[in-house]
Amino acid sequence: LKCDAVVSEISTGPGTVNFTVNKELLAKTVLQQVLKDGSKYGVKSELFSTVPRQKAVIEFSSPNIAKKFHIGHLRSTIVGNFIANLKVALGHEVVRINYLGDWGMQFGLLGVGFQRFGNKEKLKSSPLQHLSEVYVQINRAAEDENTKALAKDFFRKLEEHDEQTLSLWKQFRDFSIEEYIRIYKRLGVQFDEYSGESFYQEKSQEVLKMLEDKGLLQKTVKGTGIVDLSEKKDLSSFSTVMRSDGTSLYITRQVCPSVDLAAAIDRMNKHSCDTMIYVTDKSQSNHFQHLFQILKLMGYDWAERCQHVSFGLIQGMKTRRGEVIFLEDVLNEVRARVLQNMASTKTTKEVEDPMETAEKVGVAALIIQDFRGLLSSDYQFSWDRALQSRGDTGTFLQYTHARLHSLEQMHGNEQLADVNVACLQEPDAISVLQHLLRYDEVLYRSSQDLQPKHIVSYLLTLSHLAAVAHKTLPVKGSTPELAQARLRLFQAARSVLANGMKLLGITPVTQM
């Protein structure tokens, strides 16, 4: 074995061959690449050169309108956002869809409730709060036969497109979406399309007819419509697609309504995408298995390119006021706690907009705590763990980013021209460089299994390595040549840290 430009030394030990990589070359190559590629660093790697660019439709978040944004939808929202961000970064075309629960018997009940207890002013000012209250009130009366009949009647009018009824329902829907958009903005999330079950009512009847024409629809003794999914055609596995009264409407999401079939077919026709990804909790795995199976039986080969990304539950999330269910309460609480921590820390600088900074740090804390493990695992939420500034937390990532940023500000952040990075020979500098070199592998792994944890652990390690280097490799007081080389190293670390954080849905802060 001969040495060359890359390998500067080769030695043997007991049962090992040791290669020493040319450190100057390592420093030059990595830092040049990071600087040149900027936000595209890692993505331009040859690892991705054979990956075809595709179009993906991603359905995520999907709350039920007229109900406050439930904490259960937080994971779907941030996981779906991460997958979309990653695919966009890798050059794929992405359509982000929010598929709302906006149809079904509960709207009959809500309509009657609003006619009885509703207030138009309250509906405008805090729609979800007011509709939740109305729903609770009418639910108490729901046992009453008269109320049941009225609710049924209201929903029948909805289905028959009665103008007055439809206009009230539309107000519920529009006001709900407005409020959701406000909350999504706090999470840095947006959608290309808001659709919902209401869009597919008529189309679901067509789907039932298609199933019937293909001989896939069977009637049970009770009159419900089912599709046999068993291999031996012995009904050992089947899916219910129609209620006994002939409607396909809003059976719970646990069984496969023809509405979801209609939505899938419509999306494929409209977007002709290469892949369709559904991001929901793991209790719905069965539902999606059935959905994809029926589509296949109907002759849609693209069903094989549909994917369900499932996740576990968040446990033990409480605010100071007790058990929490609403996302907005969590966002407010995390912001308040970060503000308090910032106020009590001696090193905190005067921040221009403390509220905004606290919000971004808080969201980072929520996201990193969520993304550290496998998505399919349930996890126990802990405020104290999420908000530690010196642990494997989102707060620590934000703190590191802000520190590296202020280092650049302090020592002139102009694009350093001919820096001699060859003088970066210390072990701590080499550790950071070697880690930066691995970023593309981590992106590749996440792009294969859609798990954010690879990127999270990469960024946490990068932050720890940068923190050590920050202590041992001072910029201040070094010779100009060494100071500039070290500054370039920290600049590169900050740039990759920011890129990775943005993929996860975190907005990096520059001061805290």
Side-chain angles (χ1 to χ4, degrees):
L1 292 170
K2 299 264 185 292
C3 292
D4 61 7
V6 179
V7 177
S8 59
E9 197 186 314
I10 302 167
S11 62
T12 56
T16 61
V17 182
N18 307 316
F19 299 93
T20 304
V21 170
N22 176 339
K23 289 179 184 150
E24 284 182 27
L25 188 71
L26 174 72
K28 269 190 192 137
T29 315
V30 174
L31 296 180
Q32 229 171 2
Q33 204 65 45
V34 175
L35 199 71
K36 194 178 113 207
D37 292 349
S39 63
K40 291 267 183 282
Y41 176 70
V43 172
K44 284 185 160 180
S45 159
E46 62 211 42
L47 277 179
F48 295 106
S49 59
T50 56
V51 178
R53 300 280 174 264
Q54 293 190 321
K55 184 173 185 181
V57 164
I58 305 174
E59 176 198 300
F60 62 103
S61 198
S62 309
N64 295 316
I65 69 159
K67 289 189 177 170
K68 283 185 77 168
F69 201 122
H70 198 279
I71 192 63
H73 295 284
L74 171 66
R75 288 201 93 175
S76 174
T77 307
I78 60 179
V79 172
N81 189 45
F82 157 70
I83 294 171
N85 290 346
L86 182 63
K87 286 196 173 290
V88 168
L90 296 173
H92 302 293
E93 192 186 336
V94 169
V95 182
R96 302 162 188 243
I97 293 184
N98 198 339
Y99 184 63
L100 302 165
D102 63 358
W103 202 248
M105 256 330 270
Q106 76 272 36
F107 288 101
L109 204 54
L110 187 65
V112 172
F114 192 77
Q115 287 166 344
R116 207 175 285 179
F117 310 111
N119 174 319
K120 288 229 157 101
E121 287 312 304
K122 280 186 185 169
L123 180 65
K124 261 197 185 128
S125 61
S126 54
L128 298 179
Q129 182 66 39
H130 184 51
L131 291 175
S132 292
E133 287 160 7
V134 166
Y135 197 64
V136 168
Q137 281 177 290
I138 193 69
N139 250 326
R140 292 194 194 116
E143 291 312 301
D144 163 48
E145 287 308 315
N146 184 31
T147 305
K148 271 187 196 163
L150 286 171
K152 229 174 177 170
D153 191 49
F154 187 96
F155 188 53
R156 185 183 51 73
K157 282 185 184 160
L158 254 190
E159 293 194 279
E160 290 166 359
H161 297 267
D162 169 70
E163 254 178 58
Q164 241 183 323
T165 317
L166 210 55
S167 137
L168 186 61
W169 169 84
K170 203 173 165 323
Q171 280 182 17
F172 295 164
R173 192 178 191 277
D174 294 347
F175 285 138
S176 297
I177 291 176
E178 261 173 50
E179 193 157 336
Y180 289 145
I181 289 174
R182 188 175 57 74
I183 297 172
Y184 287 132
K185 204 170 167 186
R186 292 181 68 176
L187 285 167
V189 173
Q190 55 196 42
F191 291 91
D192 300 305
E193 213 176 281
Y194 281 85
S195 80
E197 291 158 5
S198 59
F199 287 97
Y200 298 108
Q201 294 321 309
E202 274 125 36
K203 288 195 167 114
S204 69
Q205 297 304 320
E206 293 166 28
V207 168
L208 290 173
K209 189 160 181 353
M210 280 161 80
L211 287 170
E212 204 163 4
D213 294 347
K214 287 181 190 289
L216 294 168
L217 191 66
Q218 299 183 25
K219 289 274 173 65
T220 63
V221 190
K222 288 180 183 162
T224 47
I226 58 169
V227 175
D228 186 358
L229 298 173
S230 61
E231 275 178 37
K232 295 179 180 163
K233 296 295 162 213
D234 57 1
L235 285 177
S236 54
S237 163
F238 65 86
S239 179
T240 307
V241 291
M242 189 177 84
R243 288 208 301 241
S244 54
D245 58 6
T247 64
S248 64
L249 285 177
Y250 208 81
I251 321 167
T252 68
R253 281 277 186 91
Q254 267 24 53
V255 280
C256 172
S258 49
V259 176
D260 283 0
L261 288 167
I265 295 165
D266 180 62
R267 269 176 214 175
M268 204 38 136
N269 291 340
K270 185 174 165 189
H271 297 292
S272 53
C273 50
D274 300 288
T275 171
M276 204 147 34
I277 297 171
Y278 297 84
V279 185
T280 71
D281 72 74
K282 59 187 178 187
S283 70
Q284 298 190 20
S285 296
N286 227 1
H287 166 78
F288 285 103
Q289 216 177 335
H290 284 180
L291 183 71
F292 305 155
Q293 251 177 305
I294 296 174
L295 287 166
K296 225 169 143 181
L297 287 173
M298 290 172 81
Y300 293 113
D301 297 339
W302 49 260
E304 296 197 342
R305 306 199 304 272
C306 294
Q307 188 182 355
H308 177 218
V309 175
S310 63
F311 51 82
L313 305 175
I314 307 176
Q315 289 154 345
M317 201 179 244
K318 289 184 166 77
T319 62
R320 293 181 173 130
R321 292 206 306 254
E323 204 56 58
V324 327
I325 356 183
F326 302 127
L327 179 60
E328 195 153 19
D329 297 339
V330 172
L331 291 176
N332 293 342
E333 174 99 3
V334 78
R335 186 173 62 193
R337 286 182 188 239
V338 173
L339 272 172
Q340 196 181 342
N341 290 356
M342 277 162 60
S344 63
T345 309
K346 290 189 181 69
T347 55
T348 300
K349 310 238 179 356
E350 277 302 309
V351 177
E352 275 161 40
D353 188 342
M355 265 316 235
E356 177 128 346
T357 300
E359 177 103 317
K360 287 172 182 162
V361 173
V363 169
L366 292 176
I367 288 177
I368 295 299
Q369 173 139 284
D370 196 292
F371 284 177
R372 279 188 60 196
L374 261 177
L375 291 179
S376 54
S377 314
D378 299 343
Y379 77 93
Q380 197 65 34
F381 182 83
S382 150
W383 286 109
D384 295 337
R385 208 172 54 232
L387 296 171
Q388 278 167 6
S389 59
R390 286 278 188 277
D392 286 344
T393 63
T395 314
F396 174 57
L397 290 186
Q398 289 284 32
Y399 176 69
T400 306
H401 185 272
R403 261 179 95 182
L404 293 173
H405 185 269
S406 71
L407 185 70
E408 279 174 49
Q409 298 298 94
M410 240 164 22
H411 299 283
N413 53 358
E414 72 283 353
Q415 288 300 333
L416 313 166
D418 34 338
V419 180
N420 176 20
V421 293
C423 54
L424 293 169
Q425 297 284 319
E426 303 85 354
D428 291 338
I430 301 300
S431 296
V432 173
L433 289 164
Q434 284 177 320
H435 195 64
L436 291 175
L437 195 57
R438 281 210 297 272
Y439 185 54
D440 60 344
E441 295 168 33
V442 175
L443 291 183
Y444 187 75
R445 268 190 84 179
S446 274
S447 74
Q448 293 298 296
D449 64 6
L450 302 183
Q451 294 283 339
K453 70 180 185 121
H454 313 304
I455 295 174
V456 169
S457 82
Y458 174 88
L459 295 179
L460 289 166
T461 304
L462 177 60
S463 296
H464 286 297
L465 292 171
V468 171
H470 189 263
K471 275 202 189 85
T472 61
L473 310 174
V475 174
K476 200 176 171 181
S478 304
T479 63
E481 185 186 48
L482 195 53
Q484 289 212 317
R486 286 174 177 174
L487 206 50
R488 173 61 56 86
L489 176 73
F490 290 124
Q491 218 175 16
R494 187 197 62 77
S495 168
V496 174
L497 178 59
N499 293 347
M501 286 164 78
K502 286 174 193 161
L503 286 182
L504 297 171
I506 296 169
T507 307
V509 300
T510 52
Q511 36 172 205
M512 67 182 269

